[in-house]
């Protein structure tokens, strides 16, 4: 009798465990889907608004233009512009800040680095499993464009590197106006990645 009861209890426990795991899996999948859709909707909305603002600026280019200094620093979480890497099919909106909420839905401009319309080193960060995943295939001499309401700024990739998270000197100015893209590495790593993948590009007005 005890053996029978034990078998029944074991069967019920196993069934409850299966149900619990199934529920956890469904919740995790639902969360991932919600994050994915939020990012998609955010990108579509901000891309549409950005394109409209660019069009309005073009239509009103003869009108007096406010000083760039008056709008040099975007609001936190506000849109900075659009990053494009044509060969990789990358086109993503860039926002001010690198909080988790920023990087879930866009690429983030790293505070205290130069903005695209300023001289210096522009630092942009993105998740390796979303917007910056294509960086694993980036090559030297690839063209990167950062479009803003102040203009479009083109860069040519000069190098890639893998560094420790503490190696923040990659964001320092380096004599020429430049762009540094930062994402976690290795790309296929499960969990918190131990290193950072760095793409360094220099501004090239002629391309």
């Amino acid at each position: 009798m005890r053996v029978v009861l034990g078998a029944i209890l074991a069967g019920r426990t196993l069934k409850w465990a299966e149900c619990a795991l199934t529920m956890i899996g469904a919740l995790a999948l639902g969360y991932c889907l919600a994050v994915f859709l939020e990012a998609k909707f955010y990108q579509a909305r901000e891309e549409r608004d950005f394109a409209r603002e660019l069009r309005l600026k073009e239509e009103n280019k003869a009108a007096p233009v406010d000083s760039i200094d008056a709008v040099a620093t975007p609001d936190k979480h506000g849109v900075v512009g659009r990053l494009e890497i044509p060969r990789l099919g990358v086109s993503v909106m860039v926002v001010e800040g690198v909080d988790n909420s920023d990087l879930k839905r866009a690429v983030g401009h790293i505070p205290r680095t130069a903005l695209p319309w300023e001289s210096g080193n522009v630092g942009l960060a993105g998740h390796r499993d979303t917007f910056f995943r294509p960086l694993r295939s980036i090559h030297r001499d690839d063209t990167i464009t950062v479009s803003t309401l102040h203009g479009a700024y083109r860069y040519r990739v000069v190098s890639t590197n893998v560094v420790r998270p503490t190696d923040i000197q990659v964001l320092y100015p380096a004599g020429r106006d430049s762009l540094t893209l930062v994402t976690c590495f290795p790309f296929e790593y499960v969990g918190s990645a131990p290193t950072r993948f760095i793409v360094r590009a220099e501004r090239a007005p002629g391309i």
Side-chain angles (χ1 to χ4, degrees):
M1 186 68 174
R2 288 179 180 178
V3 173
V4 174
L5 289 175
I8 292 173
L9 289 174
R12 288 178 177 176
T13 301
L14 180 60
K15 184 170 293 186
W16 290 337
E18 290 176 350
C19 290
L21 290 174
T22 300
M23 184 174 295
I24 291 172
L27 290 173
L29 182 61
Y31 173 78
C32 292
L33 180 60
V35 170
F36 173 78
L37 291 176
E38 179 189 4
K40 280 287 187 181
F41 290 144
Y42 177 86
Q43 286 286 318
R45 183 181 70 246
E46 296 302 331
E47 168 67 30
R48 183 178 61 250
D49 292 346
F50 182 69
R52 183 177 64 249
E53 291 187 48
L54 281 178
R55 185 171 60 252
L56 290 173
K57 182 179 179 182
E58 181 66 21
E59 292 171 354
N60 299 322
K61 61 183 178 182
V65 179
D66 293 336
S67 167
I68 274 186
D69 291 337
V71 288
T73 304
D75 293 335
K76 188 176 182 181
H77 313 304
V79 170
V80 174
R82 180 178 60 224
L83 172 75
E84 295 173 284
I85 311 176
R87 193 184 68 80
L88 301 184
V90 172
S91 179
V92 58
M93 300 305 294
V94 179
V95 299
E96 180 61 26
V98 290
D99 292 349
N100 186 52
S101 60
D102 297 317
L103 298 186
K104 281 199 306 184
R105 57 186 183 177
V107 165
H109 170 254
I110 301 172
R112 294 183 294 281
T113 67
L115 287 154
W117 51 88
E118 298 175 337
S119 295
N121 184 9
V122 180
L124 302 180
H127 282 319
R128 75 186 189 276
D129 52 358
T130 55
F131 303 111
F132 271 179
R133 190 169 186 79
L135 291 187
R136 59 186 176 173
S137 301
I138 201 161
H139 294 161
R140 183 182 175 89
D141 291 329
D142 278 346
T143 300
I144 303 174
T145 301
V146 181
S147 300
T148 76
L149 295 181
H150 305 298
Y153 305 90
R154 293 180 175 84
Y155 303 83
R156 189 186 297 279
V157 174
V158 295
S159 66
T160 61
N161 196 15
V162 176
V163 303
R164 295 170 301 178
T166 54
D167 291 338
I168 61 173
Q169 66 270 18
V170 296
L171 298 173
Y172 294 169
R176 295 189 59 174
D177 290 342
S178 55
L179 172 71
T180 299
L181 307 182
V182 181
T183 193
C184 292
F185 187 85
F187 286 96
E188 306 300 336
Y189 196 86
V190 177
S192 181
T195 54
R196 301 292 180 264
F197 183 73
I198 306 297
V199 177
R200 184 64 170 245
E202 294 181 349
R203 189 178 293 180
I207 63 174

